[in-house]
Amino acid sequence: MTNPTTLRRSLAAAITTDGSMTDPAWRTAIETVPRELFLGDAVYRMGHGERGTLWEPVHRSEMTRTEWLELVYTNDTWVTQVDGIAATDAAEPIYGTPTSSSTLPSLVVRMLEAADIHDGDKVLEIGTGTGYSTAILCHRLGEKNVVSIEYDPMLAALAADRIHAAGHNPTLVTGDGLEGWEDEAEYDCIVATCAVRTIPRSWIWQTSVGGIITATLGGWMEAHGLACLTVGEDGSATGRFTGETISYMLARPHRRPPRSGFYRHSGQSRITTVNPELLQDWTGRFVAQLASPSAEFLGSGGNVVLLDVATGSQAWTEPAADGWTVHQHGPLNLWDQVETALRAWQNAGSPDQSAFGMTITPDHTQSVWIGTPDGPSWQLPA
């Protein structure tokens, strides 16, 4: 019969070998915390259906103990909730958007190492989720130094039970993580396990001077960048992106509002020589999102569709003999904005995100730049 301790050690060894983990203290935590405790009795496996991504529930009761433990200790993200429906409550595959998951352990550790957490640091975790990463933090820092906040009451209750069963009793809060948790401030580190469109002002106020905020910037084009920001005495923050291809679900208050449908309008047409396929590049799409932060990305290859959620403006491209034809309709010329940004990125040498930085001023204006703050820059939405 498969031994969970052996599987944990094998997992820790694997993510050390691939370079995701370098700190022996985090390795000890991965070897110790029982991930099976945090996955419950079912997860979703991603599949494909006629209408897109299909989520198939995988129930523990339908597998042998060995099969279940081997699933648990693969270095994968396992979705545990889709549109608020827990995998344990799903009897058949469903369509929808993941709303909670157990992040792959290597990513958990990469985030924690990027945050430069040290023994004795007090950490606020935004997004308790299943509670697995919370338990990892407790093992390293001690429960008195860990505060974790979860938006979803059902998830928060489940996570609390599992964290307590693992022998830890940190401060657990049910509420809006974008507001932080002032009662336990100040924090040496804030680590977000959800993506945000902008850094909330409360996170800066609740972080000690010299403390670090580690968060993934995301948006409605589903582009992401992991930033580590150091808080200054004047309420400012600055730092750089790690360049890692890390993505998280957007915080629920930052998600795109629903839309009823989409119809392509011809609008005004012109030729563009900027390849729309640049939006398939990890950094290229991130740049496009910076240029049009309220736009949604659709399409693929040379057939790109941008739809502005705020104004209804749209841009779409199609291959042409001498480049690509772009059609723009509405009050915003979306492709003009994206094209200008992509050219600036190309003129800078098309660097990956490790060349990008971010500045938050004392009045909370937020901008992302390439190279230095004086380089090409884009302001984030307020």
Side-chain angles (χ1 to χ4, degrees), residues 41-45 56-60 62-63 68 71 78 87:
D41 293 323
V43 297
Y44 286 105
R45 178 181 284 125
E56 176 189 1
V58 179
H59 293 270
R60 180 178 180 177
E62 298 171 354
M63 307 174 74
W68 177 254
L71 176 150
W78 290 109

Side-chain angles (χ1 to χ4, degrees), residues 57-361:
V58 179
H59 293 270
R60 180 178 180 177
S61 60
E62 298 171 354
M63 307 174 74
T64 66
R65 182 173 185 271
T66 296
E67 289 171 337
W68 177 254
L69 287 174
E70 288 178 347
L71 176 150
V72 167
Y73 286 105
T74 56
N75 186 33
D76 285 326
T77 292
W78 290 109
V79 171
T80 55
Q81 187 190 73
V82 174
D83 287 339
I85 302 172
T88 51
D89 297 330
E92 57 186 23
I94 61 174
Y95 291 98
T97 301
T99 47
S100 185
S101 67
S102 178
T103 303
L104 67 163
S106 62
L107 177 50
V108 171
V109 175
R110 282 162 62 195
M111 281 284 289
L112 298 178
E113 292 207 352
D116 196 27
I117 295 171
H118 298 92
D119 292 345
D121 282 348
K122 187 172 187 178
V123 175
L124 171 62
E125 177 188 44
I126 309 297
T128 313
T130 65
Y132 177 66
S133 58
T134 314
I136 294 289
L137 282 166
C138 288
H139 187 279
R140 168 71 186 273
L141 301 174
E143 59 191 33
K144 292 182 179 180
N145 286 326
V146 178
V147 179
S148 186
I149 184 166
E150 171 57 47
Y151 186 85
D152 185 314
M154 184 183 73
L155 292 178
L158 282 172
D161 288 344
R162 293 163 181 172
I163 292 166
H164 295 155
H168 304 294
N169 190 32
T171 299
L172 299 174
V173 180
T174 303
D176 186 355
L178 300 183
E179 296 180 0
W181 186 246
E182 190 174 2
D183 289 6
E184 297 283 342
E186 295 177 334
Y187 304 99
D188 298 296
C189 299
I190 291 182
V191 179
T193 63
C194 58
V196 291
R197 297 181 71 216
T198 57
I199 301 298
R201 190 185 299 263
S202 61
W203 294 4
I204 302 223
W205 291 343
Q206 294 174 25
T207 303
S208 61
V209 174
I212 297 175
I213 297 170
T214 303
T216 302
L217 280 185
W220 297 337
M221 288 195 195
E222 299 185 350
H224 298 86
L226 178 62
C228 298
L229 308 174
T230 301
V231 174
E233 292 184 8
D234 59 356
S236 64
T238 188
R240 303 194 72 91
F241 289 79
T242 67
E244 296 183 85
T245 53
I246 287 177
S247 62
Y248 278 102
M249 301 174 194
L250 272 174
R252 297 190 188 190
H254 280 194
R255 289 182 181 171
R256 175 184 61 77
R259 57 176 169 81
S260 57
F262 168 69
Y263 173 78
R264 292 188 185 187
H265 296 276
S266 296
Q268 296 182 337
S269 302
R270 66 174 176 86
I271 295 295
T272 177
T273 56
V274 172
N275 190 342
E277 292 186 13
L278 286 174
L279 272 68
Q280 304 296 338
D281 179 88
W282 182 266
T283 303
R285 191 183 300 187
F286 185 68
V287 170
Q289 183 172 272
L290 292 172
S292 294
S294 59
E296 180 184 5
F297 172 83
L298 305 168
S300 63
N303 297 296
V304 162
V305 176
L306 300 178
L307 178 62
D308 189 74
V309 176
T311 67
S313 301
Q314 62 176 252
W316 54 280
T317 63
E318 56 185 344
D322 48 355
W324 295 266
T325 299
V326 58
H327 306 265
Q328 300 186 93
H329 178 269
L332 298 180
N333 290 325
L334 295 179
W335 187 256
D336 289 359
Q337 297 172 190
V338 168
E339 183 180 66
T340 300
L342 289 173
R343 288 195 187 281
W345 173 54
Q346 290 177 318
N347 290 339
S350 302
D352 68 25
Q353 287 183 19
S354 62
F356 287 58
M358 181 173 175
T359 299
I360 303 176
T361 63

